[in-house]
Amino acid sequence: MRTLVRYGYVPFMLLVVDGAAIALAAGGHSKLWLLGLLFVAVGASFAAERVLPYRDDWNVPHGDDRRDVAHAVVNETLTLAGLAVLPALTAVASIDGIWPGSLPFAVQVLIAVLVADLGITLVHLASHKVPALWRLHAVHHSVKRAYGFNGLMKHPLHQTLETAAGVAPLVLLGMPSAVASVLALCVAVQLLLQHSNVDYRVGPLRAVLALNQAHRFHHLKWAGAGDVNFGLFTLLWDHCLGTYSYDPERRFRSDDLGMAAKPHYPDGYLAQLAEPFRPSGACTTKNISN
């Protein structure tokens, strides 16, 4: 079972879960099926973390389980709300005839993923450089363990900014709502994979896909060390921007994660929503040196 999870978990999430979403949306089935696939992905994430954890102690709640559930519920609800208004936005803002609707549906989803990845990567990078954005993004970097639900733990305003950067170009291009629905599921699945406490392997693809082996470096708490690997779906843009980093010998502990400059960041959900707007939420750099 451990071997199956080590080499089969990522293909299951990307090919089976995302692939099923593509097939259902292309066939015109109800979007409720996509919600069901999200629950399958969350369940698979938690199960894989128990079978093959990267660190056993990261499977134990650090007083953060209810808070992380609250973040996940709120942020996924916002995603669903965004999908509901997307057809109206596309009707008003899109440029007719641009979207490649004649291509196979799976190719359209891949195009949406790559375009969204660039926008999200750039906002993510800016969030480590611009103090006002960092105030919001710091919520995500306050984690002291890496497990699937961490990916859904974001300040809702920051998630909105990232989503807007990724989706706005697609709206202008006239992305169909069916493609947008699959893209939303792909984002959720990718966040689960990226932060997963699973010791899986993807071989050379670890330098291309933005998965947990590379993303743990992004959560290092020291100055400069964590300003790497900003991509959501791929690391292609990080290679272009010179922000890719990976060391196969590096192992991570809870003491490596978080923010060295803010070791006592608020833990509660409501406190985290409020912290960016308090004087204590200011921070001109991500970390302090190790």
Side-chain angles (χ1 to χ4, degrees):
M1 180 62 73
R2 289 169 62 86
T3 301
L4 179 62
V5 171
R6 190 182 304 277
Y7 298 104
Y9 173 57
V10 173
F12 172 77
M13 296 287 267
L14 295 182
L15 300 179
V16 177
V17 176
D18 287 350
I22 290 172
L24 289 168
H29 295 280
S30 169
K31 292 182 176 64
L32 291 177
W33 284 104
L34 300 184
L35 186 60
L37 286 173
L38 176 60
F39 286 116
V40 169
V42 171
S45 176
F46 276 91
E49 288 175 338
R50 270 65 190 171
V51 173
L52 188 68
Y54 177 79
R55 290 192 61 91
D56 290 326
D57 58 312
W58 285 356
N59 280 340
V60 179
H62 291 32
D64 54 6
D65 48 345
R66 293 184 179 180
R67 176 203 69 195
D68 291 354
V69 169
H71 276 293
V73 170
V74 169
N75 290 335
E76 288 306 298
T77 300
L78 287 174
T79 297
L80 292 174
L83 289 174
V85 303
L86 186 67
L89 288 176
T90 303
V92 172
S94 65
I95 303 172
D96 290 338
I98 299 295
W99 185 260
S102 61
L103 293 177
F105 188 79
V107 176
Q108 295 182 48
V109 172
L110 180 60
I111 291 171
V113 164
L114 293 175
V115 172
D117 194 41
L118 175 58
I120 292 171
T121 298
L122 293 177
V123 170
H124 196 175
L125 174 62
S127 298
H128 284 239
K129 306 296 183 183
V130 179
L133 292 176
W134 172 248
R135 281 174 171 261
L136 298 171
H137 189 46
V139 170
H140 181 66
H141 278 275
S142 67
V143 299
K144 295 299 179 63
R145 62 176 177 137
Y147 77 116
F149 252 26
N150 282 163
L152 304 175
M153 181 201 155
K154 298 181 178 183
H155 196 286
L157 289 180
H158 192 266
Q159 174 176 279
T160 300
L161 291 172
E162 280 192 334
T163 300
V167 173
L170 295 168
V171 170
L172 292 175
L173 293 173
M175 174 179 60
S177 61
V179 174
S181 298
V182 177
L183 175 62
L185 178 73
C186 289
V187 168
V189 169
Q190 186 65 21
L191 289 170
L192 289 170
L193 283 172
Q194 194 175 63
H195 297 82
S196 177
N197 181 32
V198 181
D199 196 19
Y200 58 68
R201 296 288 185 274
V202 294
L205 287 176
R206 69 174 182 237
V208 179
L209 301 179
L211 298 172
N212 66 3
Q213 287 176 277
H215 195 69
R216 293 187 190 110
F217 290 86
H218 181 74
H219 280 273
L220 286 170
K221 67 183 182 180
W222 299 290
D227 296 326
V228 298
N229 303 342
F230 292 98
L232 172 59
F233 287 104
T234 77
L235 296 167
L236 298 175
W237 306 117
D238 285 288
H239 286 289
C240 295
L241 294 167
T243 54
Y244 172 72
S245 178
Y246 184 74
D247 177 3
E249 303 300 320
R250 180 67 188 252
R251 297 292 295 179
F252 293 82
R253 305 171 301 160
S254 289
D255 288 343
D256 298 320
L257 309 183
M259 295 176 286
K262 287 182 169 294
H264 304 297
Y265 199 85
D267 293 326
Y269 177 70
L270 294 179
Q272 289 190 340
L273 294 188
E275 184 65 12
F277 307 103
R278 292 171 173 162
S280 58
C283 188
T284 57
T285 59
K286 176 179 181 291
N287 313 297
I288 58 176
S289 300
N290 60 343

